[in-house]
Amino acid sequence: MSGKSRPRKSWQEKLTDSKGLLRVEKITGKMSKKWGAGTIVIPAPKEVDEIMRKIPVGKVTTINEIRAKLAQEHGATIGRPMTTGIFAWIAANAANEAAEEGKRDITPYWRTLKSGGQLNEKYPGGVEAQTACLEKEGHIIEPGKGKKLPKVKDFEKHLAKL
């Protein structure tokens, strides 16, 4: 084995690497205990990014809303939670990387929230950066209680139509 390692992929490269996804599969085994019968859509990273890009200023969405949209678009029962969340995180980091390169047309990832309207501590700059972006767009951020993360006040009233 040589001592040379492959250069790490940039976030933007990770975003465009579909890894053979988009797939719709039958819900089986352990998954059926949790989600019941039907089908599950496993999106490609770029497809999650495309939905995130459509969220206008003053509006927000959640990972669950994105999952529902993916399921609807592909005739599936549900969208895969873990994969959708990971791909939103990749889209956020790819957008941040593009912004650092001086690009202006980036995915407004800060408008994509966790379930219940909570902010995402794994996005670039953490909760503080997401708070700043959302407040700049007119949202009110409620502090987290206990282990709960801060959230957008009345986020349901600000959900974008997907």
CSV table of all heavy atoms in Angstrom, one decimal, residues 98-121:
chain,number,residue,atom,x,y,z
A,98,ALA,N,-19.2,27.1,-0.8
A,98,ALA,CA,-19.4,27.9,-2.0
A,98,ALA,C,-19.4,29.4,-1.6
A,98,ALA,O,-18.7,30.2,-2.3
A,98,ALA,CB,-20.7,27.6,-2.7
A,99,ALA,N,-20.0,29.7,-0.5
A,99,ALA,CA,-20.0,31.1,-0.1
A,99,ALA,C,-18.6,31.6,0.3
A,99,ALA,O,-18.2,32.7,0.0
A,99,ALA,CB,-20.9,31.3,1.2
A,100,GLU,N,-17.8,30.7,0.9
A,100,GLU,CA,-16.4,31.0,1.2
A,100,GLU,C,-15.6,31.2,-0.1
A,100,GLU,O,-14.5,31.9,0.0
A,100,GLU,CB,-15.8,29.9,2.1
A,100,GLU,CG,-16.3,29.9,3.5
A,100,GLU,CD,-15.8,28.8,4.4
A,100,GLU,OE1,-15.2,27.8,3.8
A,100,GLU,OE2,-16.1,28.8,5.6
A,101,GLU,N,-16.0,30.6,-1.2
A,101,GLU,CA,-15.3,30.8,-2.4
A,101,GLU,C,-15.8,32.0,-3.2
A,101,GLU,O,-15.4,32.3,-4.3
A,101,GLU,CB,-15.5,29.6,-3.3
A,101,GLU,CG,-14.9,28.3,-2.8
A,101,GLU,CD,-15.3,27.1,-3.6
A,101,GLU,OE1,-16.1,27.2,-4.6
A,101,GLU,OE2,-14.8,26.0,-3.3
A,102,GLY,N,-16.7,32.8,-2.5
A,102,GLY,CA,-17.2,34.0,-3.1
A,102,GLY,C,-18.5,33.8,-4.0
A,102,GLY,O,-19.0,34.8,-4.6
A,103,LYS,N,-19.0,32.6,-4.0
A,103,LYS,CA,-20.3,32.4,-4.8
A,103,LYS,C,-21.4,33.0,-4.1
A,103,LYS,O,-21.5,33.0,-2.8
A,103,LYS,CB,-20.5,30.9,-5.1
A,103,LYS,CG,-19.4,30.3,-6.0
A,103,LYS,CD,-19.6,28.8,-6.2
A,103,LYS,CE,-18.4,28.3,-7.0
A,103,LYS,NZ,-18.3,26.8,-6.9
A,104,ARG,N,-22.4,33.6,-4.8
A,104,ARG,CA,-23.5,34.3,-4.2
A,104,ARG,C,-24.8,33.4,-4.2
A,104,ARG,O,-25.6,33.5,-3.3
A,104,ARG,CB,-23.8,35.6,-4.9
A,104,ARG,CG,-22.7,36.6,-4.7
A,104,ARG,CD,-23.3,38.0,-5.1
A,104,ARG,NE,-22.7,39.2,-4.7
A,104,ARG,CZ,-22.2,39.6,-3.5
A,104,ARG,NH1,-22.3,38.8,-2.5
A,104,ARG,NH2,-21.7,40.8,-3.3
A,105,ASP,N,-25.0,32.6,-5.3
A,105,ASP,CA,-26.2,31.8,-5.4
A,105,ASP,C,-26.0,30.5,-4.7
A,105,ASP,O,-25.6,29.5,-5.3
A,105,ASP,CB,-26.5,31.6,-6.9
A,105,ASP,CG,-27.8,30.8,-7.1
A,105,ASP,OD1,-28.6,30.9,-6.2
A,105,ASP,OD2,-27.9,30.1,-8.2
A,106,ILE,N,-26.2,30.6,-3.4
A,106,ILE,CA,-26.1,29.4,-2.6
A,106,ILE,C,-27.4,28.9,-2.0
A,106,ILE,O,-28.3,29.7,-1.9
A,106,ILE,CB,-25.0,29.6,-1.4
A,106,ILE,CG1,-25.5,30.6,-0.4
A,106,ILE,CG2,-23.7,30.0,-2.0
A,106,ILE,CD1,-24.8,30.6,0.9
A,107,THR,N,-27.5,27.7,-1.6
A,107,THR,CA,-28.6,27.1,-0.9
A,107,THR,C,-28.8,27.8,0.4
A,107,THR,O,-27.9,27.8,1.2
A,107,THR,CB,-28.5,25.6,-0.7
A,107,THR,OG1,-28.3,25.0,-2.0
A,107,THR,CG2,-29.7,25.0,0.0
A,108,PRO,N,-30.0,28.3,0.7
A,108,PRO,CA,-30.3,29.0,2.0
A,108,PRO,C,-30.6,27.9,3.1
A,108,PRO,O,-31.7,27.8,3.6
A,108,PRO,CB,-31.5,29.9,1.7
A,108,PRO,CG,-32.3,29.1,0.6
A,108,PRO,CD,-31.2,28.5,-0.2
A,109,TYR,N,-29.6,27.2,3.4
A,109,TYR,CA,-29.8,26.0,4.3
A,109,TYR,C,-30.3,26.4,5.7
A,109,TYR,O,-31.0,25.6,6.3
A,109,TYR,CB,-28.4,25.3,4.4
A,109,TYR,CG,-27.3,26.1,5.0
A,109,TYR,CD1,-27.2,26.2,6.4
A,109,TYR,CD2,-26.5,26.8,4.2
A,109,TYR,CE1,-26.1,27.0,6.9
A,109,TYR,CE2,-25.4,27.6,4.7
A,109,TYR,CZ,-25.3,27.7,6.1
A,109,TYR,OH,-24.3,28.5,6.7
A,110,TRP,N,-30.1,27.6,6.1
A,110,TRP,CA,-30.5,28.0,7.5
A,110,TRP,C,-32.0,28.0,7.6
A,110,TRP,O,-32.6,28.0,8.7
A,110,TRP,CB,-29.9,29.4,7.8
A,110,TRP,CG,-30.2,30.4,6.8
A,110,TRP,CD1,-31.3,31.3,6.7
A,110,TRP,CD2,-29.5,30.7,5.6
A,110,TRP,NE1,-31.3,32.0,5.6
A,110,TRP,CE2,-30.2,31.8,4.9
A,110,TRP,CE3,-28.3,30.3,5.1
A,110,TRP,CZ2,-29.7,32.3,3.7
A,110,TRP,CZ3,-27.8,30.8,3.9
A,110,TRP,CH2,-28.5,31.8,3.2
A,111,ARG,N,-32.7,28.0,6.4
A,111,ARG,CA,-34.2,28.0,6.4
A,111,ARG,C,-34.7,26.5,6.6
A,111,ARG,O,-36.0,26.4,6.7
A,111,ARG,CB,-34.7,28.6,5.1
A,111,ARG,CG,-34.3,30.0,5.0
A,111,ARG,CD,-34.8,30.6,3.7
A,111,ARG,NE,-34.2,31.9,3.4
A,111,ARG,CZ,-33.9,32.4,2.2
A,111,ARG,NH1,-34.2,31.7,1.1
A,111,ARG,NH2,-33.3,33.5,2.1
A,112,THR,N,-33.9,25.5,6.6
A,112,THR,CA,-34.3,24.2,6.8
A,112,THR,C,-34.1,23.8,8.3
A,112,THR,O,-32.9,23.8,8.8
A,112,THR,CB,-33.6,23.2,5.9
A,112,THR,OG1,-33.8,23.5,4.6
A,112,THR,CG2,-34.0,21.7,6.2
A,113,LEU,N,-35.2,23.5,9.0
A,113,LEU,CA,-35.1,23.2,10.4
A,113,LEU,C,-35.3,21.7,10.7
A,113,LEU,O,-35.7,21.0,9.9
A,113,LEU,CB,-36.3,24.0,11.1
A,113,LEU,CG,-36.4,25.5,10.8
A,113,LEU,CD1,-37.7,26.0,11.4
A,113,LEU,CD2,-35.2,26.3,11.3
A,114,LYS,N,-35.0,21.4,11.9
A,114,LYS,CA,-35.2,20.0,12.4
A,114,LYS,C,-36.7,20.0,12.7
A,114,LYS,O,-37.4,21.0,12.7
A,114,LYS,CB,-34.4,19.7,13.6
A,114,LYS,CG,-32.9,19.7,13.3
A,114,LYS,CD,-32.1,19.6,14.6
A,114,LYS,CE,-31.7,18.2,14.9
A,114,LYS,NZ,-30.7,18.1,15.9
A,115,SER,N,-37.2,18.8,13.1
A,115,SER,CA,-38.6,18.6,13.4
A,115,SER,C,-38.9,19.5,14.6
A,115,SER,O,-38.1,19.8,15.5
A,115,SER,CB,-38.9,17.2,13.7
A,115,SER,OG,-38.2,16.7,14.8
A,116,GLY,N,-40.1,20.0,14.7
A,116,GLY,CA,-40.6,20.8,15.8
A,116,GLY,C,-40.0,22.3,15.6
A,116,GLY,O,-40.2,23.1,16.6
A,117,GLY,N,-39.4,22.6,14.5
A,117,GLY,CA,-38.9,23.9,14.3
A,117,GLY,C,-37.6,24.2,14.9
A,117,GLY,O,-37.2,25.4,15.0
A,118,GLN,N,-36.9,23.2,15.4
A,118,GLN,CA,-35.6,23.4,16.1
A,118,GLN,C,-34.5,23.7,15.1
A,118,GLN,O,-34.5,23.2,14.0
A,118,GLN,CB,-35.2,22.1,16.9
A,118,GLN,CG,-36.1,21.9,18.1
A,118,GLN,CD,-35.6,20.7,18.9
A,118,GLN,OE1,-35.1,19.8,18.4
A,118,GLN,NE2,-35.8,20.8,20.2
A,119,LEU,N,-33.6,24.5,15.6
A,119,LEU,CA,-32.4,24.9,14.8
A,119,LEU,C,-31.5,23.7,14.7
A,119,LEU,O,-31.6,22.8,15.5
A,119,LEU,CB,-31.7,26.1,15.3
A,119,LEU,CG,-32.5,27.3,15.5
A,119,LEU,CD1,-31.6,28.5,15.9
A,119,LEU,CD2,-33.4,27.7,14.4
A,120,ASN,N,-30.6,23.7,13.7
A,120,ASN,CA,-29.7,22.5,13.5
A,120,ASN,C,-28.3,22.9,14.0
A,120,ASN,O,-27.6,23.6,13.3
A,120,ASN,CB,-29.7,22.1,12.1
A,120,ASN,CG,-29.1,20.7,11.9
A,120,ASN,OD1,-28.2,20.3,12.6
A,120,ASN,ND2,-29.5,20.0,10.9
A,121,GLU,N,-27.8,22.3,15.1
A,121,GLU,CA,-26.5,22.6,15.6
A,121,GLU,C,-25.4,22.1,14.8
A,121,GLU,O,-24.2,22.5,14.9
A,121,GLU,CB,-26.4,22.0,17.1
A,121,GLU,CG,-26.2,20.5,17.2
A,121,GLU,CD,-27.4,19.7,17.0
A,121,GLU,OE1,-28.5,20.2,16.5
A,121,GLU,OE2,-27.4,18.5,17.4
